[in-house]
Amino acid sequence: MTDKLGAERPLSPHLQIYRPMLTMMMSIAHRITGAGLAVGFGLLTWWLVAVSMGPSAYAYVQDFFGSFLGRVLLFAFTWALIHHMLGGIRHLIWDTGVGLDKRTIEILALATIIGSIVLTVLVWILGYCYLGAH
């Protein structure tokens, strides 16, 4: 490809050229969970506003969060929050100059995936054990 002055420039690579790698997928997941957190914090805001509006508004929101869809959204929000946090910790580790070799990058990526799933399930199990299912 040539620019306005006729000089040859390389084309910018894109997803059709690169084969998907774990670190690439983790970067995409980090962005998606960040956007998901905006939705989750919107739900938290809805709940807080309902608390301030009185018993009927609070009951309505609690009914929603107690429904199948509400619990799925809360579970997804929990996972997104934990996954995004672990991704941030991974980046903090890299900011210290540690773990930048290929093997450690892959290990940290897998630890983020496995850790976010395990911690999310653990949070929900503990929540059901200590708070009880309603």
Side-chain angles (χ1 to χ4, degrees), residues 2-50:
T2 60
D3 62 12
K4 292 179 185 178
L5 301 174
E8 288 290 320
R9 300 183 318 157
L11 292 175
S12 179
H14 46 76
L15 291 176
Q16 293 172 342
I17 293 173
Y18 288 123
R19 91 181 146 82
M21 298 183 323
L22 181 59
T23 53
M24 178 193 304
M25 295 297 113
M26 291 299 292
S27 178
I28 293 168
H30 193 74
R31 288 170 173 82
I32 291 170
T33 57
L37 291 178
V39 174
F41 284 118
L43 292 172
L44 177 62
T45 302
W46 181 36
W47 181 79
L48 289 170
V49 169

Side-chain angles (χ1 to χ4, degrees), residues 45-115:
T45 302
W46 181 36
W47 181 79
L48 289 170
V49 169
V51 167
S52 71
M53 291 179 67
S56 63
Y58 179 74
Y60 180 78
V61 173
Q62 284 298 97
D63 285 344
F64 173 76
F65 286 139
S67 71
F68 179 75
L69 176 61
R71 289 180 192 244
V72 168
L73 286 172
L74 289 173
F75 187 86
F77 176 57
T78 307
W79 176 78
L81 186 61
I82 292 171
H83 189 273
H84 202 79
M85 177 194 67
L86 292 178
I89 291 170
R90 185 170 53 112
H91 281 269
L92 269 173
I93 292 169
W94 290 342
D95 287 345
T96 66
V98 176
L100 295 173
D101 60 283
K102 187 174 181 175
R103 184 171 189 273
T104 307
I105 287 172
E106 295 284 324
I107 290 169
L108 289 173
L110 283 172
T112 301
I113 294 168
I114 294 167

